Amino acid sequence: MFSYSESDLYCEGVPLADLAGHTGTPAFVYSAQGILDSYRAYHEAFADLPHNVCYAVKANSSLAVLGLLARAGAGFDIVSGGELYRVLQAGGDPSKVVFSGVGKTPDEVEYALASGIHSFNCESEAELMLIDAMAARRGVTAGFGIRVNPDVDAVTHPYISTGLSEHKFGIAMSEAPGVYERARKLTHLTAEGVSCHIGSQILDPSPILEAVDKVLALAGQLRAAGHPIRHLDLGGGLGIAYHAGQKAPEIREFIASLHERLRASGLCVMVEPGRSIVGPAGILLTRVLYRKKNGAKEFVVVDAAMNDLIRPSLYRAHHEIIAVRKNALPAITADVVGPVCETGDFLARDREMANVMPGDYLAVCAAGAYGFVQSSNYNSRPRAPEVLVEGSGYRVIRKRETYEDLVRGETL
Ligand SMILES: *Cc1c(COP(=O)(O)O)cnc(C)c1O
């Protein structure tokens, strides 16, 4: 995906310094091969188990990225009407779409029913009643699964851990059978599945396995009670390596570890990976504007900022930052900061890094997931373009915003 040839960093066959010269910076760059390899790792590891890999659109929702995955046969996990619109625009198959989220609006439910999505992952009884009523009005039957809260600790950043009973997500395991039972009376719903999603950036998959066991037991209990459960949706959450040398779970090994548990169930298995498909396949390219020193502290001021990549500021996330062209100078220790007027605007702190000079390019690694999608126009900064590399070619899949774009839709 990304590697050095001599001293130059490449994305597949494209030297990133050349690309940056053409598209300008900051810019997000994605490797098509990297995205497809990860998707196929999931798909192929399931092998002969009936399955559906539903890419979690919220991790990176650019049309070209969705289009790549749609052509490879992926399904999609959406959390809003806007994401459904994107999936359909990208040529995604609505019959492989699952709709997750704790706060679906009536308009979104209507749109999903009209589009013929596969099923809804429901998080409350009020939501079940709404979907039933709207399905009745259309004369259709909607498939649903209850997102249960398995009360396991995903051991990740508290903002992206979701599987404990103190979190807003899901319905408690113990209450789920009662909810399925009462849902029998809702004649325009079919209990298609059981789902869970315990959090994101999970580096030790044992809590996921613990959740799988709980959800499998529940599915068995529901089937014994006569519910037509056909699938298990295990959510997403597999972590990636953000630190150099960090070990992240191998997709193939992780899925293989589920086989034994799942084969006996006879259920179709769905997963909703986001970060592990697109995260490692993207970088944020940025250019050094200035070097400055405040007392003993060294700063590298770059043209990308927290509005482009908020993860360091929001979660204190670590992203490796590497030189697009290596030099032979001794390393420095510096904060990498952007132009936004906030002390929290940093991409790295006290980082040992290449001794770069103004004009040099840097690559902020593993920025393919929760990067562009969480970017904003804060400080009236136009959002960065996105570029997709395929082999030795690349294309701009989203143009850099202009000043006109910044005020579109506004009136004086
Ligand atoms: C965010 C989310 C995902 C994707 O999580 P990753 O950590 O990116 O794999 C999957 N399912 C649901 C319901 C989510 O909210």
Side-chain angles (χ1 to χ4, degrees), residues 77-400:
D77 169 50
I78 59 165
V79 292
S80 71
E83 287 190 351
L84 177 54
Y85 181 77
R86 286 183 168 280
V87 167
L88 298 176
Q89 288 288 306
D93 177 354
S95 73
K96 290 183 181 174
V97 169
V98 290
F99 194 167
S100 302
V102 64
K104 303 172 190 78
T105 67
D107 283 351
E108 288 175 323
V109 170
E110 183 72 30
Y111 182 32
L113 288 170
S115 306
I117 67 162
H118 177 268
S119 59
F120 293 84
N121 281 338
C122 296
E123 304 209 14
S124 65
E125 293 199 67
E127 181 190 339
L128 285 173
M129 286 190 269
L130 172 75
I131 297 170
D132 178 63
M134 298 189 77
R137 208 173 313 150
R138 297 191 71 87
V140 296
T141 306
F144 77 93
I146 300 288
R147 173 171 176 180
V148 294
N149 190 325
D151 200 21
V152 297
D153 192 348
V155 200
T156 181
H157 189 284
Y159 289 3
I160 53 177
S161 172
T162 58
L164 285 173
S165 48
E166 69 198 66
H167 298 134
K168 72 177 175 184
F169 298 103
I171 288 180
M173 210 72 192
S174 55
E175 287 166 31
V179 176
Y180 278 97
E181 210 42 55
R182 290 190 286 283
R184 272 193 218 264
K185 300 197 186 68
L186 305 175
T187 51
H188 290 81
L189 295 184
T190 316
E192 289 271 347
V194 183
S195 81
C196 71
H197 170 74
I198 63 167
S200 199
Q201 184 55 15
I202 298 169
L203 289 172
D204 170 8
S206 48
I208 305 186
L209 300 181
E210 198 186 319
V212 170
D213 287 338
K214 290 188 174 188
V215 171
L216 262 175
L218 174 63
Q221 185 188 337
L222 292 171
R223 273 161 71 104
H227 295 283
I229 305 297
R230 280 186 277 263
H231 74 249
L232 272 191
D233 180 345
L234 307 179
L238 214 58
I240 63 170
Y242 281 107
H243 290 261
Q246 191 176 24
K247 249 189 89 55
E250 284 283 334
I251 293 169
R252 287 174 202 274
E253 279 174 29
F254 168 67
I255 297 297
S257 72
L258 299 175
H259 270 231
E260 216 177 304
R261 292 175 156 82
L262 296 172
R263 191 181 304 279
S265 74
L267 295 166
C268 175
V269 187
M270 310 204 323
V271 283
E272 304 169 346
R275 188 189 313 268
S276 54
I277 289 186
V278 290
I283 57 156
L284 173 61
L285 269 183
T286 183
R287 187 164 47 94
V288 178
L289 298 173
Y290 305 104
R291 292 269 301 262
K292 67 178 275 185
K293 257 189 172 160
N294 285 351
K297 194 144 178 96
E298 179 103 49
F299 293 92
V300 174
V301 185
V302 298
D303 65 358
M306 65 186 287
N307 74 295
D308 300 301
L309 183 68
I310 201 172
R311 299 191 69 260
S313 308
L314 184 60
Y315 312 116
R316 293 223 135 207
H318 177 103
H319 287 262
E320 289 294 320
I321 300 181
I322 58 178
V324 166
R325 182 161 286 156
K326 282 188 192 167
N327 63 34
L329 300 172
I332 57 167
T333 298
D335 282 15
V336 181
V337 300
V340 162
C341 299
E342 297 270 353
T343 303
D345 178 31
F346 56 86
L347 296 174
R349 282 192 152 159
D350 292 321
R351 181 69 61 84
E352 186 170 308
M353 61 179 294
N355 196 339
V356 283
M357 296 298 156
D360 288 347
Y361 295 117
L362 290 168
V364 184
C365 301
Y370 306 105
F372 182 89
V373 286
Q374 290 193 322
S375 68
S376 76
N377 293 122
Y378 188 40
N379 277 210
S380 285
R381 288 168 51 86
R383 285 184 303 168
E386 295 177 285
V387 182
L388 186 66
V389 173
E390 291 174 282
S392 54
Y394 65 86
R395 60 199 167 95
V396 176
I397 57 172
R398 181 201 299 266
K399 287 194 246 178
R400 183 183 306 286

